[in-house]
Amino acid sequence: MYTVVVLALDDVIAFDLATPVETLGRVRLPDGRPGYRIVVAGPEPMVDAGPLRIGVGAGLDEVGRADLVVVPGRNDPARPTPPAVGEALRAAVARGTRVASICVGAFTLAEAGLLDGQRATTHWLATDELARRHPAVHVDADALFIDNGQILTSAGASAGLDMCLHIVERDYGVAVAADAARLAVAPLQRTGGQGQFILRNRPTYRTATLEKALIWIEENAHRPLTLADIATAAGMSTRTLARHFHAETGQSPIQWLTGVRVRHAQELLEVTDHTVDRIAAQVGFPSPSNFRTQFTQTVGVNPAAYRKTFRPARR
């Protein structure tokens, strides 16, 4: 049996805390024995968890007895980590203990210096901030979870469940993991990555320099646009436009345009019965094949798979 210590820090996200407790805590081996012993530990005997107050049954000394330490996210990921927590995590890694984060718990690992030089992920809304705060971390915004061997990170909410099921499969094999997945009423492996949940290049994104161009692209993305068209609408030369786009969005104007078209397509796939070919034309892609290629590269699944996942079933 493996001992799993789930860290409960003040401002913990209750869902993130419950995911490893419930998923790993209910694992049973073929002979009926539990697969994991779960301990909730932290530096304080009571923590806030949004609208909840949660009692913490053990102190940080339990980290030294763990085979796996799971670090849930906190509602404010920028909140400083108590020094004793960082020390406990670094000591655990030095001993060879596995450490895993859920959602923005990656910020806690990064603050402790445990993600430097490694690939890591977190909730897609926080990937840019994680990369900004910790430039030594190789942030992958698309992955549902990343297993670096000793250190694992996962994206938001249900991606923590994906990671926990992966840990079960790694520890006990696919049959035990499949039983855990059935108990959780979840797939053992999901199609695609975190990319399918991201709404790209949203119209709320504004910069002082590019506001006019972004609004114009939003309203005209369905047309066959060129870089020159966008530059004219923005009142800039193509070189100046490209420079501002790269500096302020990290994308070229055409990449931004493609992202807007993909987002519009996502919306139509979710709420209409229109064929994929019709949607390709509606949102501005030059051909259905180009649409399928660009959509799959951007979102991580093809349009048909996206619709199956995100369109509510008819009743």
Side-chain angles (χ1 to χ4, degrees), residues 16-31:
D16 292 359
L17 178 67
T19 296
V21 171
E22 293 297 320
T23 306
L24 300 178
R26 296 182 184 276
V27 170
R28 291 296 178 269
L29 305 184
D31 61 5

Side-chain angles (χ1 to χ4, degrees), residues 13 15-17 19 70-75 77 100-109 115 120-127 130 144-145 152-161 163 194:
I13 298 172
F15 189 98
D16 292 359
L17 178 67
T19 296
V70 181
V71 182
R74 293 194 284 174
N75 291 291
S101 66
I102 295 178
C103 193
V104 291
F107 282 75
T108 302
L109 299 190
L115 299 182
T121 193
T122 187
H123 192 289
W124 62 270
L125 280 172
T127 51
L130 180 63
L144 290 174
F145 64 86
L152 302 89
T153 54
S154 66
S158 60
L161 174 58
M163 182 184 69
Q194 189 177 189

Side-chain angles (χ1 to χ4, degrees), residues 231-242:
T232 298
M236 303 178 188
S237 70
T238 56
R239 291 184 64 180
T240 301
L241 180 74

